């Protein structure tokens, strides 16, 4: 036993010695191009290990002649974070677009404490230096993000815009066309309009309240800015990929015989869901599983209802009520439905199949705070008093 | 007559001053109080504690216009895991709060474990990594690792950088 423990400890020690880890932050610094300007940037190298490590710092990429690092070789204590600095002089005549260099901290292979062997690999991490050189004229970088659907079903299309041109963009907006599973256009939305100055980042947004079946849809956004256009596409899902149990029935039953459960399942999704099966468990009074049964697999087409069949051998089962669950399994989902079986001599009643949906909003929010309500009422009363006084009573008293 | 005018002016003053004081007090009382994160907060840790009072919604966006905010309906402090980047946040109760800015710094961290004849590279940072695999000074491959992702590789040098 002791020998085994020793072997495990030795393996553990070797594994620990065989691990290397190094970090660097920030991962990236981005600069707008300004020829000849000097940037001095702090960055930190982190020794994430429990041992002393040796580190060298290298510069690589387009600007390796223009970047100097404060220290190029040093040792680090366990867990130490060391702040270094690099100086970067922006070279002249860079072409439009993004330019990249890297400062790389490399942890050198170390000598093992438990043996004379080297861990024969070096591991490095890079902080990137990116210089954005503006394009001549107007140029917008754009992407399309689809957010939602939210709890109330709304889908939001967001397009972050980054003006990378030398000139300001006066007017930018987009038309978002939504296409269904059969490539039919379902809707067309307009975003808001913004102006984006050179180097600035803004967003344009369109909201959509879909009245369509759940499924996969495609958004095609046509970005229009001044005289330029650009198309961006993205697929997204509406609704949850969902199967619902509409009912469970048992017909022609005799206690002690085979009960045939017919589970009616409907596919709410706009595509077929394949390989669906159900697993039913029946529990005795002590909560122990007394039967586990499984259906064959089924393919259920879009918006189709299908009967799934399970057989339960009731030999040795007594009359009475039993807890039961059906697990509906499809794709990577597993939906559980709890219910009761009322088993009689010549029938089984299925009780309580369905969901309990609870509202998330249980409180009254801030207005449940009595003092807030009191203050609101007091302000309203004071406004009325003011109006009464200045428009009516004051004049009346002054006349007297 | 002069006395009447003085009384009327006194009532004017009393009503206006009382109304103003109550409004100032009410606004001060109902305006959400932001506690954390502070304006200008910076961290390498993406788990950010949002602490506030007198609000039931917080909005977080990477755009100061809050054109596409993430909305959290909460009545207490909460911790949200965020990707590296610059964010703006505010709380909304009866009135909206001030807007605060904070930054999650990217941390590039690469772990190397011996795995039989080769190695396992692990992304221990908070950004997706692009790892160059070298052998005898030449790049022989490249792997992309999600946060906490790992992959078995053969080589003698491994350099990771942000793949965002």
């Amino acid at each position: 036993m002791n020998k085994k423990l020793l072997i495990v400890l030795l393996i553990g020690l070797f594994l620990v010695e065989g691990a290397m880890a190094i970090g660097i932050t920030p991962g990236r610094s981005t600069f707008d191009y300004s020829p000849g300007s000097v940037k001095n940037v702090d960055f930190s190298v982190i020794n994430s290990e429990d041992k002393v490590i040796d580190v060298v710092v290298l510069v690589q990429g387009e600007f390796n002649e223009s970047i100097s690092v404060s220290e190029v070789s040093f040792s680090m204590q366990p867990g130490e974070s060391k702040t270094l600095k690099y100086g970067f002089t922006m070279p002249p005549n860079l072409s439009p677009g993004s330019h990249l260099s890297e400062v790389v901290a490399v942890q050198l292979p170390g000598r093992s404490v438990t043996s004379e062997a080297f861990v024969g690999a070096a591991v490095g991490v890079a902080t990137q230096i990116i210089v954005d050189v503006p394009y001549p004229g107007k140029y917008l970088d754009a992407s399309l993000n689809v957010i939602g659907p939210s709890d109330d079903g709304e889908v939001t299309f967001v397009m972050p815009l980054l003006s990378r041109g030398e000139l300001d963009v006066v007017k930018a907006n987009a038309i978002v066309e939504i296409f269904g599973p059969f490539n039919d256009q379902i809707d067309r939305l307009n975003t808001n309009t913004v102006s984006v100055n050179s180097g600035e980042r803004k967003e344009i947004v369109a909201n959509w309240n879909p009245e369509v079946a759940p499924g996969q849809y495609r958004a095609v956004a046509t970005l229009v800015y001044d005289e330029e256009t650009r198309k961006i596409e993205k697929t997204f899902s509406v609704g949850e990929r969902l199967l619902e149990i509409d009912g469970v029935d048992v017909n022609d039953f005799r206690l002690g015989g085979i009960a045939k459960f017919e589970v009616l399942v409907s596919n709410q999704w706009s595509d077929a869901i394949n390989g669906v099966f159900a697993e039913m468990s029946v529990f005795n009074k002590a909560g122990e599983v007394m039967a586990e049964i499984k259906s064959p697999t089924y393919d259920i087409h879009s918006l189709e209802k299908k009967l799934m069949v399970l057989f339960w051998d009731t030999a040795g089962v007594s009359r009475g009520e039993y807890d039961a669950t059906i697990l509906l399994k499809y794709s990577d989902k597993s939906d559980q439905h709890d219910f009761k079986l009322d088993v009689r001599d010549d029938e089984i009643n299925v009780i309580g199949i369905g969901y309990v949906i609870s509202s998330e909003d249980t409180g009254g929010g801030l207005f449940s705070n009595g003092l807030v309500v009191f203050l609101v009422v007091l302000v309203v009363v004071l406004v009325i008093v003011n109006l009464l006084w200045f428009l009516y009573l004051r004049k009346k008293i002054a006349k007297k | 007559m002069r006395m009447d005018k003085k009384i009327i002016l006194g009532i004017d003053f009393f009503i206006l001053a009382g109304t103003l004081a109550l409004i100032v007090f009410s606004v001060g009382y109902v305006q959400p109080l932001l506690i954390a994160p502070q304006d200008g907060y910076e961290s390498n840790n993406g788990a950010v504690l949002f602490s506030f009072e007198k609000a039931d919604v917080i909005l977080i966006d990477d755009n100061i216009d809050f054109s596409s905010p993430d909305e959290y309906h909460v009545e207490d402090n909460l911790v949200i895991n965020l990707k590296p980047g610059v964010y703006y946040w505010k709380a909304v109760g009866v009135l909206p709060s001030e807007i605060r800015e904070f930054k999650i710094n990217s941390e590039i961290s690469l772990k190397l474990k011996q795995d039989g004849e080769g190695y396992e590279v692990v992304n221990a940072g908070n950004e997706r990594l692009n790892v160059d695999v070298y052998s005898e000074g030449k790049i022989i491959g490249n792997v992309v690792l999600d946060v906490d992702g790992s992959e078995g590789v053969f080589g003698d040098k491994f350099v990771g950088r942000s793949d965002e």
Side-chain angles (χ1 to χ4, degrees), chain A residues 143 145 147 158-161 201-203, chain B residues 59-70 82-89 100-102:
Chain A
S143 55
N145 300 325
I147 299 169
V158 181
M159 295 183 74
L161 308 175
R201 182 189 183 278
K202 283 208 173 157
E203 286 181 348
Chain B
L59 303 175
I60 304 169
D61 203 341
D62 57 0
N63 188 312
I64 198 163
D65 298 332
F66 287 87
S67 44
S68 55
D70 285 338
L82 295 164
K83 284 178 160 184
V86 175
Y87 295 92
Y88 303 89
W89 79 286
R100 285 186 176 179
E101 182 184 326
F102 64 97

Side-chain angles (χ1 to χ4, degrees), chain A residues 20 24 27 102 124 203 389 394, chain B residues 12 67 106 108 112 158 161:
Chain A
M20 303 172 81
I24 199 165
E102 292 176 339
E203 286 181 348
W389 172 251
R394 191 177 191 279
Chain B
D12 283 358
S67 44
S106 51
I108 306 302
L112 190 70
F158 308 91
R161 63 188 50 82

Side-chain angles (χ1 to χ4, degrees), chain B residues 11-30:
Chain B
I11 295 172
D12 283 358
F13 176 78
F14 178 76
I15 287 179
L16 285 174
T19 306
L20 200 65
L22 186 74
I23 287 171
V24 168
F25 172 75
S26 302
V27 168
Y29 181 78
V30 298

